[in-house]
């Protein structure tokens, strides 16, 4: 008769436990609020241009330049965070971004298109890198790996909500009060959200750990084969998203249902949110790399039904599946990035990840626009992007980190509870 008690079952992860952990709700809520301008500003810029007599084409150009400038500047701001801390980057960036967006309606009538373009590009370049910053904070805020896993899934899954709520809020404000006020509200939300993050003790006190003396040279390198291939693969994921957005617009025009252009991306984002909730609640025995490749394969399979040229209702339902897998792919990509990035450059590595998806999305949008009149080609673009991503991931598999390396200790400060009291 054995006197050894059976092992106690592992407690189930709950999002209440995640959000109830110190600072988690504040950091997540502040980051989402501070990033709302990413979904609001491009729409508000287009509405302001058309309301002041400009063309939709010029408004679209400015909107695209804002998003492109924001993406391109991410690695630079990530590197600055790794050198000087988060507060030194987030707060000045938010103040500059807000000032420029507020100045746009004031300077536009006097400076003409050239000045408006310069202001929009500068505003994009100065968006605070809150997303990369939040991912860098999780190891110090949530020492428990299982809670950290759930927080990352929740964080990743809620990102799509920004691009549903943001545009709807801008349209409502612009319809009721005009696009200038919509830009003002955009800046206020950006400042409030950024301030909530910047003045939280985890963000104020966060510094990346420096490499050991024997690894001093390694901090200068962010070009390991694993990281490079991972980032290349993620351009395919972004390409699929960009292609889907334009395909949705083409579907709306083809079927005479304008709302489809918003409903299909909203269904995709809803799938992403729900997929994140399911993924984050479970503990996974498989390796991070294994989950990444498997999720990439299912992400590809989820796009294949579109090749049957589905009707509006079926297409809306179909995009929920790849949407649900998007969160898993991105969450695993962040885990792999954390395991592969050298000490002292985690924020910059996260920023390159974000940039990779953004570049792919821009390329997918551009190509899908040229193929919008060809129904089958437009429907095939998301699957083509996902196939590219999976192919690169399969080739990169030997270079990616094994399981259990969500975050290497020593690269972040110890949890606040062990070192500091909340101020």
């Amino acid at each position: 008769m054995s006197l050894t008690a059976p092992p106690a079952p592992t407690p189930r992860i709950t999002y209440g436990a995640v959000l109830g952990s110190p600072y988690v709700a504040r950091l997540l809520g502040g980051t989402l609020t501070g990033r709302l301008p990413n979904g609001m500003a491009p729409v508000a810029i287009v509405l302001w241009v058309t309301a002041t007599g400009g063309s939709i084409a010029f408004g679209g150009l400015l909107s695209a330049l804002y998003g492109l400038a924001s993406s391109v500047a991410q690695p630079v701001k990530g590197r600055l965070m790794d050198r000087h801390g988060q507060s030194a980057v987030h707060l000045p960036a938010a103040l500059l971004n807000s000032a420029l967006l507020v100045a746009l309606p004031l300077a536009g009538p006097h400076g003409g298109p050239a000045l408006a373009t310069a202001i929009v590009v500068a505003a994009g370049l100065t968006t605070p890198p809150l997303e990369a910053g939040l991912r860098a904070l999780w190891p110090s805020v949530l020492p428990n790996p299982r809670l950290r896993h759930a927080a990352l899934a929740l964080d990743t899954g809620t990102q799509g909500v920004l691009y549903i709520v943001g545009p709807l809020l801008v349209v409502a404000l612009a319809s009721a009060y005009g696009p200038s006020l919509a830009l003002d509200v955009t800046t206020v939300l950006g400042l409030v959200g950024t301030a909530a993050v910047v003045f939280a003790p985890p963000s104020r006190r966060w510094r990346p750990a420096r490499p050991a003396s024997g690894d001093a040279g390694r901090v200068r390198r962010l070009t390991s084969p694993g990281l490079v291939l991972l980032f290349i693969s993620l351009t395919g994921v972004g390409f699929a998203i960009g292609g889907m957005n334009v395909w949705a617009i083409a579907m709306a025009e083809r079927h005479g249902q304008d709302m489809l252009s918003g409903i299909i991306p909203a269904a995709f984002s809803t799938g992403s949110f729900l997929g994140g909730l399911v993924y984050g609640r479970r503990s996974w025995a498989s390796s991070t790399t294994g989950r990444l490749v498997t999720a990439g394969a299912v992400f590809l399979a989820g796009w294949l039904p579109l090749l049957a040229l589905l009707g509006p209702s079926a297409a809306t339902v179909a995009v929920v599946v790849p949407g649900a897998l998007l969160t898993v792919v991105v969450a695993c990509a962040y885990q792999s990035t954390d395991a592969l990035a050298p000490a002292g450059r985690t924020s910059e590595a996260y920023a390159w990840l974000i940039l990779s998806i953004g570049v792919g999305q821009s390329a997918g949008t551009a190509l899908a626009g040229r193929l919008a009149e060809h129904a089958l080609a437009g429907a095939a673009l998301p699957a083509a992007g996902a196939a590219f991503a999976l192919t690169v991931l399969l080739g990169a598999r030997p270079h990616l980190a094994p399981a259990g390396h969500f975050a290497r200790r020593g690269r972040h400060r110890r949890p606040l509870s062990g070192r500091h009291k909340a101020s």
Side-chain angles (χ1 to χ4, degrees):
M1 178 178 179
S2 174
L3 299 179
T4 304
T10 304
R12 190 176 184 182
I13 298 172
T14 67
Y15 287 108
V18 173
L19 294 173
S21 300
Y23 305 112
V24 169
R26 174 175 175 175
L27 291 171
L28 181 58
T31 297
L32 290 174
T33 304
R35 293 188 66 237
L36 265 176
N38 291 2
M40 295 176 67
V43 179
I45 289 168
V46 174
L47 294 177
W48 171 75
V49 169
T50 56
T52 54
S55 67
I56 294 179
F58 181 59
L61 174 63
L62 290 186
S63 177
L65 287 173
Y66 181 87
L68 181 62
S70 177
S71 295
V72 168
Q74 285 283 337
V76 175
K77 289 177 283 191
R79 185 69 180 273
L80 289 172
M81 279 197 295
D82 284 334
R83 288 186 173 182
H84 305 291
Q86 295 195 356
S87 300
V89 178
H90 285 335
L91 195 55
L95 290 171
L96 283 170
N97 176 264
S98 297
L100 288 162
L101 289 177
V102 168
L104 181 60
L106 303 176
H110 306 290
L115 181 58
T117 301
I119 291 174
V120 166
V121 170
L125 291 173
T126 55
T127 54
L130 293 170
E131 184 178 0
L134 180 63
R135 306 285 161 69
L137 286 176
W138 286 139
S140 60
V141 174
L142 291 170
N144 185 317
R146 298 180 71 241
L147 290 178
R148 196 159 63 237
H149 162 80
L152 179 58
L154 181 63
D155 163 18
T156 305
T158 53
Q159 299 305 316
V161 176
L162 301 174
Y163 299 96
I164 300 173
V165 175
L168 289 175
L169 182 57
V170 165
V171 171
L173 289 169
S175 299
Y177 305 104
S180 293
L181 182 68
L183 278 169
D184 292 341
V185 172
T186 299
T187 63
V188 170
L189 288 172
L191 283 173
V192 169
T194 302
V197 173
V198 166
F199 295 113
S203 180
R204 285 193 290 110
R205 295 168 178 165
W206 181 88
R207 295 292 186 280
R210 298 304 173 192
S213 57
D215 295 332
R218 192 174 176 227
V219 75
R220 296 191 294 269
R221 296 182 64 251
L222 197 61
T223 55
S224 69
L227 275 179
V228 171
L229 290 171
L230 177 62
F231 296 158
I232 291 173
S233 75
L234 291 173
T235 62
V237 174
F239 187 94
I241 298 170
M244 178 209 64
N245 288 331
V246 177
W247 167 78
I249 296 172
M251 281 279 291
E253 294 179 351
R254 193 171 297 119
H255 292 276
Q257 300 179 27
D258 292 343
M259 291 298 293
L260 275 179
S261 61
I263 290 174
I264 290 177
F268 180 81
S269 296
T270 300
S272 178
F273 176 67
L274 295 176
L277 291 182
V278 173
Y279 174 71
R281 284 178 64 87
R282 289 195 55 185
S283 295
W284 301 88
S286 58
S287 69
T288 300
T289 302
R291 292 197 303 275
L292 177 60
V293 172
T294 301
V298 182
F299 182 68
L300 167 59
W303 292 116
L304 296 180
L306 302 188
L307 299 178
L309 300 181
L310 303 174
S313 298
T316 301
V317 173
V319 299
V320 174
V321 175
L325 271 298
L326 174 67
T327 295
V328 184
V329 171
V330 175
C332 290
Y334 271 106
Q335 289 179 261
S336 297
T337 300
D338 186 74
L340 291 166
R345 296 188 70 173
T346 52
S347 299
E348 184 184 358
Y350 295 149
W352 277 108
L353 188 157
I354 296 166
L355 174 60
S356 299
I357 296 176
V359 168
Q361 188 167 348
S362 298
T365 300
L367 184 56
R370 296 182 66 87
L371 299 176
E373 296 181 0
H374 305 278
L376 182 58
L381 282 181
F388 173 82
L390 178 61
T391 301
V392 178
L393 282 176
L394 289 171
R397 191 166 188 167
H399 304 286
L400 298 177
H405 291 282
F406 187 96
R408 295 192 297 272
R409 292 188 179 276
R411 289 177 45 198
H412 303 269
R413 287 186 170 189
R414 291 172 55 192
L416 292 175
S417 57
R419 293 188 57 172
H420 304 285
K421 297 294 184 181
S423 58

